Amino acid sequence: MTFRFERAVEDNLGLPRNLAGGLMLGWGRPEDTEALAEFQGRIFAEGDEPDASAIAGVHDWMNGQHPTVGPGDFTLVTDENQGGKIVSSLNLISQIWAYDSISFGVGQVEAVGTDPEYRRRGLVRQQFEVVHARSQARGELMQVIGGIPWYYRQFGYEMGLAMQGERNLFWHNTTKLASDQTEAYRLRPATQGDIALLSRLYAIHCAASLVTQIRSETEWRYELTSTHPLSESHRRFFIVEEIGGGSPGYIEIGYYSEAIAVRELAVLPGHPLRLVCEFLTRALKILSDERVAAENKPEPFNFATFSLGTDHPGYTALGKQLGPQNLPYAWYVRIPDLPLFLHRIAPALDKRLQASVFDGYSGRLRLNFYRSHLTLTWERGKLTEIGTYTPETLEDGDAAFPDLTFLQLLLGYRSMTELERAYQDCRMYPDSNVKNQRTAALLNALFPQRSSSVAASG
């Protein structure tokens, strides 16, 4: 199933809007670019110098070249008593993700910031309400954000989808060439002519991931040619070439304060991933040294990190050369209409049942979220109805999930067993009988724990 992003003439959702105290909430305009860049650079600065990455990111989003983001995808709060000074802002990045190969629209909220003097006035909340409405008007079934702990739970989000996760390669574990050996591979920067190959390799990279981001040809071209090198959205793709000809693989890298990071990696079938990864341990050291020299950094990069989630063949290929797994952080996820999302992914749920001990199953599963309730009904292995029920008691249902914890199960982030251990009120009813065991087996079949490694958009 394929979802396509299509931008249409959009409702301004009542903006611009007067707020209390002379503040105005409106959509961004091209002429706001420099003021917004100055604001973002100042708000996200960690010292006295403006954040160059934030400034570059604003220009990338505002210059009209991004496939899905333009000036009108920013919300701005301005103080009209201070000459229209920007005091708070965020933006919406529309994109397409997939759940078990079923595509759907996603609105990623980023660049959230407020001037310290204007905090605790509900400005971020009002902007979230607006971008949520716009995202849903675009048919996007999910909103996500990568951000600081706890904060975005206030706006209906759950930390429910794995983000990153890595294993480190320290340079003393680099694979050394024997004295009589020469490199079998080399790296070259990817170009627009590589888009077809990159698309194929990216699919291989994502093969083990439950949730993925889908890149269109337009998005590939943008990422290869149009982002500012200082922006966090800038992606550096390299093709792994055989010295004798052929292009069996690719990587995408980023640079952090202490390390060079491999964020995407794949090789074509029939090519030895182990040998490619051995080569990469040497090539990454060269790239990191070149970066240090180019930037005149006082200290070298200490290591390379393979930031490939928790379950990627690259980890197996390098084995004990890599350090222990650093557990992933999490995307904040909001699914405003859970029944609609479940309808969208119903073919994936049916396929899981067919591959399990519930092949051909007919029955009903009642999910108790305490404040709301959901029923899933199957007939001969097909999800035929998603509805609700009225509980007779607080605990009435087959399984209970407090707050938004069900999203963790739905998106493969946690197993039912892990959720029950973490939340005493996340449980299956009734306890310790045949029906309980059947519910457990059914939930495990429908929602197995699986890794995800979603490429952050920008």
Side-chain angles (χ1 to χ4, degrees), residues 184-355:
Y185 305 100
R186 63 188 170 208
L187 290 179
R188 67 165 175 83
T191 68
Q192 293 186 69
D194 297 309
I195 289 176
L197 173 62
L198 287 169
S199 296
R200 184 181 177 193
L201 288 165
Y202 178 60
I204 295 171
H205 165 72
C206 294
S209 185
L210 171 61
V211 181
T212 60
Q213 180 197 355
I214 296 176
R215 288 188 177 106
S216 66
E217 183 174 343
T218 301
E219 287 168 312
W220 274 115
R221 187 172 296 111
Y222 175 78
E223 290 190 336
L224 286 166
T225 64
S226 301
T227 58
H228 193 286
L230 293 180
S231 170
E232 288 189 3
S233 303
H234 185 62
R235 309 186 72 80
R236 301 164 181 86
F237 295 96
F238 290 86
I239 300 297
V240 179
E241 290 188 322
E242 294 173 317
I243 298 299
S247 302
Y250 92 118
I251 59 171
E252 190 276 322
I253 66 168
Y255 294 102
Y256 300 110
S257 59
E258 293 185 326
I260 181 173
V262 178
R263 301 181 293 197
E264 296 178 29
L265 163 65
V267 300
L268 295 174
H271 293 272
L273 179 59
R274 168 67 193 185
L275 298 186
V276 170
C277 285
E278 288 178 355
F279 157 73
L280 288 175
T281 66
R282 298 184 292 272
L284 292 171
K285 181 64 168 68
I286 293 171
L287 287 176
S288 68
D289 289 345
E290 290 175 348
R291 178 78 171 193
V292 168
E295 294 191 346
N296 197 27
K297 286 172 62 70
E299 298 290 338
F301 287 105
N302 295 324
F303 56 91
T305 183
F306 285 74
S307 185
L308 303 170
T310 58
D311 184 16
H312 190 280
Y315 297 148
T316 304
L318 286 173
K320 292 184 178 180
Q321 285 180 259
L322 301 176
Q325 176 74 56
N326 295 324
L327 295 178
Y329 192 58
W331 286 94
Y332 284 96
V333 178
R334 176 179 182 266
I335 300 180
D337 191 333
L338 183 58
L340 182 61
F341 185 81
L342 291 169
H343 271 296
R344 182 71 182 176
I345 65 168
L349 303 182
D350 292 345
K351 186 176 179 180
R352 290 174 187 171
L353 281 191
Q354 292 163 13

Side-chain angles (χ1 to χ4, degrees), residues 56-66 222 226-228 231 233:
V58 169
H59 284 102
D60 280 351
W61 285 317
M62 296 285 278
N63 64 17
Q65 296 184 45
H66 194 287
Y222 175 78
S226 301
T227 58
H228 193 286
S231 170
S233 303

Side-chain angles (χ1 to χ4, degrees), residues 27 32 49 132 217 219 258 262 382 417 440 451:
W27 298 109
D32 296 317
E49 294 297 319
H132 284 166
E217 183 174 343
E219 287 168 312
E258 293 185 326
V262 178
K382 296 289 185 182
T417 298
S451 63

Side-chain angles (χ1 to χ4, degrees), residues 22-259:
L23 302 182
M24 180 76 73
L25 171 60
W27 298 109
R29 306 163 300 169
E31 55 265 36
D32 296 317
T33 298
E34 295 308 321
L36 180 59
E38 184 280 330
F39 169 76
Q40 292 270 326
R42 175 169 53 84
I43 288 298
F44 291 108
E46 294 184 356
D48 295 332
E49 294 297 319
D51 188 314
S53 177
I55 293 171
V58 169
H59 284 102
D60 280 351
W61 285 317
M62 296 285 278
N63 64 17
Q65 296 184 45
H66 194 287
T68 68
V69 181
D73 293 293
F74 273 89
T75 55
L76 308 179
V77 177
T78 55
D79 188 340
E80 300 308 300
N81 294 327
Q82 298 290 328
K85 170 187 173 183
I86 296 173
V87 299
S88 184
S89 70
L90 54 80
N91 75 338
L92 178 67
I93 308 168
S94 287
Q95 54 203 278
I96 302 172
W97 287 14
Y99 180 99
D100 247 0
S101 301
I102 297 174
S103 62
F104 59 95
V106 169
Q108 180 180 337
V109 184
E110 290 298 338
V112 181
T114 301
D115 190 299
E117 295 181 10
Y118 292 81
R119 292 173 185 170
R120 301 187 182 278
R121 300 190 193 184
L123 301 182
V124 170
R125 182 176 298 279
Q126 294 183 74
Q127 291 174 86
F128 263 91
E129 290 171 356
V130 170
V131 296
H132 284 166
R134 172 157 284 186
S135 181
Q136 289 174 242
R138 291 176 176 175
E140 295 164 357
L141 302 185
M142 180 186 292
Q143 290 80 46
V144 301
I145 184 169
I148 57 177
W150 178 79
Y151 183 75
Y152 297 101
R153 294 182 185 276
Q154 302 176 90
F155 313 121
Y157 288 78
E158 171 72 6
M159 299 186 83
L161 178 65
M163 173 188 279
Q164 298 174 334
E166 61 273 330
R167 295 179 64 183
N168 296 331
L169 173 82
F170 290 92
W171 299 129
H172 67 268
N173 282 328
T174 298
T175 306
K176 305 299 190 293
L177 283 175
S179 59
D180 60 344
Q181 285 182 305
T182 58
E183 291 287 10
Y185 305 100
R186 63 188 170 208
L187 290 179
R188 67 165 175 83
T191 68
Q192 293 186 69
D194 297 309
I195 289 176
L197 173 62
L198 287 169
S199 296
R200 184 181 177 193
L201 288 165
Y202 178 60
I204 295 171
H205 165 72
C206 294
S209 185
L210 171 61
V211 181
T212 60
Q213 180 197 355
I214 296 176
R215 288 188 177 106
S216 66
E217 183 174 343
T218 301
E219 287 168 312
W220 274 115
R221 187 172 296 111
Y222 175 78
E223 290 190 336
L224 286 166
T225 64
S226 301
T227 58
H228 193 286
L230 293 180
S231 170
E232 288 189 3
S233 303
H234 185 62
R235 309 186 72 80
R236 301 164 181 86
F237 295 96
F238 290 86
I239 300 297
V240 179
E241 290 188 322
E242 294 173 317
I243 298 299
S247 302
Y250 92 118
I251 59 171
E252 190 276 322
I253 66 168
Y255 294 102
Y256 300 110
S257 59
E258 293 185 326

